[in-house]
Amino acid sequence: MTIDDDNSIYVGGLPYDCTEDSLRRVFDLYGSVVAVKIINDREVGGKCYGFVTFTNPRSAIDAINDMNGRTIGGRIVRVNEVKTRGTRPNFNRENFHRDSERDRGLDWDRGRDRDRNYDNEREGYRNRDRSRDRHLEREREHGRRHDHDRTRDHFLDRDRDRDRDQEENEQVHDRNIDRDREKDRDLDWDRDRDRSSSGHDRSRDKDKDQQLKKRTSKELSSNSSDDYYDQAKEQLELSIQRREDLQKEISQLEEKLEGKQQLVSDLQKKSQKLEEALAAAKKLSSYRCMQLTKLYKCFLQVKDYTERLKSSEQELQSLVDMAMLEADEVGIRDGNLYANGKA
C-alpha cells in the first residue's frame, strides 16, 4: 500500500482483534477511504497500529481532530499525521512533455474526480451531523432523567424529614406522658400523706389530673397535625414550583427545537440551491470544453491552410520567376534576330 503523507493518518493503540473492515467503517464518516493497512505485532509482544488513506487531505484533518483520544474496541487510540523517514522526491511535472489533447483529457478527468470527492465529502459531513444530533439528543435525554432522579430524591428527602419530625413529635409526646405520670405519682404521694382530707377533694384532684392529661394530649395532637400540614403544604408548593420550572424548560427547549428545525430547513434549501448551481456549472463546463475542442480543431485547420497558402505562394513565385526568365530569354532572342536582319 502506498502511503500519501497529506491524505493518510496514523492510528495507534488499536485492539489486537481489530480488522481492516471495522477500521474502515469507523473512518468512513470523515470521507472516502482509499486504503486501510493494519500492523499487528501481537505474536512478538508488539503493538497494533494502522494507516488510513483518504481521497482528500481535509478528511484526514477532520479525522485527526475528532478521533484523537477516542476509543475503538474499548481502547483509547492516538490519531495523528503520518511521519515518514526522510524526504519524498519532488517530481517536476514540467519535464514531462505531453500533447495538448492528452493534457486536456487528464484535466477533465481530474475535475470529474474532484466533483466526485466533493460529493462524497458532503455526504460524510451530513452523516457526521446526524451522528452529532443523535449524541445531543442522548445528552438531553440523560439530562431529563437526571432532573427526574433529582426531583425524586428531593421528595424522598422530604418524606424522610417528615418521618423524622413525626418521630420527634412522638418522642415529645412520650416525654410529656412520662412527666404527667410523675405528676400523678407526686399527687398520689400527697394524697397518701393527706389521708385526712375529704373524698370530695380527692375526686376534684382526679378530675383536674384527667383534664390536664386531655389538654396535653390535645395540644400534642394539634401540634403534630399542624406540623404535618405545614410540611405537606411546603412540599406541594415545591412540587408546583418545580412543575412550573419544568414547563418553562420544556417551552424553552421547544423554542430551541423550532429554531433548529428552521435552521435545518434553511440549510436544506441552501444545499439544494448549491446542488442546482453545481449541476449548472457542470453543464457549462462541459459546454465550454466542447467549444474549446471545436476551437482547437478550427485552429489546426487554419494552421494547415496557412501552411498550404505559404507553399502555394512559394510555388507561384517560382512560376513567376520562371516566366520572367523565359520572357527575358525570348526578348533577347528577338533582339538578336532583329539585329541580324538589319545587318
Side-chain angles (χ1 to χ4, degrees), residues 117-134:
N117 294 332
Y118 174 75
D119 295 335
N120 293 330
E121 287 178 4
R122 183 175 59 188
E123 186 65 24
Y125 289 145
R126 288 179 180 174
N127 293 330
R128 189 170 60 182
D129 292 336
R130 295 191 190 100
S131 62
R132 188 180 294 111
D133 293 336
R134 288 194 294 270

Side-chain angles (χ1 to χ4, degrees), residues 211-228:
Q211 291 177 0
L212 180 61
K213 289 180 181 179
K214 290 180 181 180
R215 190 181 302 110
T216 304
S217 62
K218 287 181 180 180
E219 290 177 356
L220 290 174
S221 62
S222 62
N223 290 329
S224 62
S225 62
D226 291 338
D227 293 336
Y228 179 75

Side-chain angles (χ1 to χ4, degrees), residues 131-163:
S131 62
R132 188 180 294 111
D133 293 336
R134 288 194 294 270
H135 180 68
L136 291 174
E137 185 64 25
R138 286 196 295 270
E139 288 182 354
R140 294 192 191 98
E141 183 66 23
H142 178 70
R144 287 195 291 271
R145 291 180 180 175
H146 180 68
D147 293 336
H148 178 71
D149 294 337
R150 187 170 57 187
T151 305
R152 185 184 60 190
D153 295 336
H154 176 72
F155 286 132
L156 290 175
D157 292 336
R158 285 296 179 183
D159 293 335
R160 284 195 292 270
D161 294 336
R162 185 182 61 189
D163 295 336

Side-chain angles (χ1 to χ4, degrees), residues 119-318:
D119 295 335
N120 293 330
E121 287 178 4
R122 183 175 59 188
E123 186 65 24
Y125 289 145
R126 288 179 180 174
N127 293 330
R128 189 170 60 182
D129 292 336
R130 295 191 190 100
S131 62
R132 188 180 294 111
D133 293 336
R134 288 194 294 270
H135 180 68
L136 291 174
E137 185 64 25
R138 286 196 295 270
E139 288 182 354
R140 294 192 191 98
E141 183 66 23
H142 178 70
R144 287 195 291 271
R145 291 180 180 175
H146 180 68
D147 293 336
H148 178 71
D149 294 337
R150 187 170 57 187
T151 305
R152 185 184 60 190
D153 295 336
H154 176 72
F155 286 132
L156 290 175
D157 292 336
R158 285 296 179 183
D159 293 335
R160 284 195 292 270
D161 294 336
R162 185 182 61 189
D163 295 336
R164 186 168 56 251
D165 293 336
Q166 189 173 1
E167 290 177 358
E168 290 178 357
N169 291 329
E170 290 178 355
Q171 291 176 1
V172 171
H173 181 66
D174 294 336
R175 285 196 297 270
N176 291 327
I177 291 174
D178 294 336
R179 193 181 299 110
D180 294 335
R181 288 178 180 175
E182 290 178 357
K183 290 180 180 179
D184 293 337
R185 284 196 297 271
D186 293 336
L187 290 173
D188 292 336
W189 185 74
D190 291 336
R191 283 195 295 273
D192 291 337
R193 189 182 57 183
D194 299 333
R195 289 179 180 177
S196 60
S197 298
S198 61
H200 179 71
D201 293 333
R202 286 196 299 272
S203 62
R204 186 177 58 187
D205 293 335
K206 189 180 293 185
D207 294 335
K208 288 181 180 180
D209 293 336
Q210 291 178 356
Q211 291 177 0
L212 180 61
K213 289 180 181 179
K214 290 180 181 180
R215 190 181 302 110
T216 304
S217 62
K218 287 181 180 180
E219 290 177 356
L220 290 174
S221 62
S222 62
N223 290 329
S224 62
S225 62
D226 291 338
D227 293 336
Y228 179 75
Y229 176 74
D230 294 336
Q231 291 176 1
K233 186 177 180 181
E234 184 179 359
Q235 185 177 359
L236 181 61
E237 291 177 354
L238 290 173
S239 301
I240 294 171
Q241 184 67 29
R242 183 58 185 171
R243 187 186 66 182
E244 292 177 354
D245 295 337
L246 289 174
Q247 288 178 352
K248 290 180 181 179
E249 291 179 0
I250 290 170
S251 62
Q252 292 176 359
L253 290 174
E254 289 178 351
E255 291 177 357
K256 291 181 179 180
L257 181 61
E258 290 177 357
K260 294 291 184 182
Q261 290 177 351
Q262 183 66 29
L263 180 61
V264 169
S265 63
D266 294 338
L267 289 175
Q268 288 178 351
K269 291 179 181 178
K270 291 181 180 179
S271 177
Q272 186 176 1
K273 290 181 180 179
L274 289 174
E275 289 177 354
E276 293 176 355
L278 181 62
K282 287 181 179 179
K283 291 180 180 179
L284 181 61
S285 178
S286 177
Y287 176 74
R288 288 180 177 177
C289 287
M290 293 173 63
Q291 294 295 325
L292 284 174
T293 305
K294 291 180 180 180
L295 183 62
Y296 182 71
K297 290 181 179 179
C298 293
F299 173 73
L300 293 177
Q301 291 178 357
V302 170
K303 187 177 180 181
D304 188 15
Y305 292 154
T306 302
E307 291 177 353
R308 291 182 181 179
L309 182 60
K310 287 181 179 180
S311 63
S312 299
E313 288 178 353
Q314 291 176 359
E315 292 177 357
L316 181 61
Q317 185 65 35
S318 62

Side-chain angles (χ1 to χ4, degrees), residues 20-82:
E20 293 183 358
D21 292 335
S22 61
L23 191 61
R24 183 186 293 271
R25 285 195 297 271
V26 172
F27 287 96
D28 271 339
L29 296 174
Y30 305 99
S32 178
V33 177
V34 177
V36 178
K37 180 67 176 177
I38 292 179
I39 309 299
N40 194 343
D41 297 335
R42 183 176 185 180
E43 295 180 356
V44 296
K47 299 179 180 179
C48 182
Y49 57 93
F51 299 93
V52 180
T53 302
F54 296 93
T55 58
N56 196 325
R58 183 62 187 174
S59 301
I61 295 172
D62 293 338
I64 292 171
N65 294 330
D66 194 32
M67 285 299 297
N68 189 23
R70 294 287 186 88
T71 58
I72 296 177
R75 297 191 64 180
I76 298 175
V77 297
R78 185 176 71 258
V79 182
N80 52 24
E81 65 276 4
V82 176

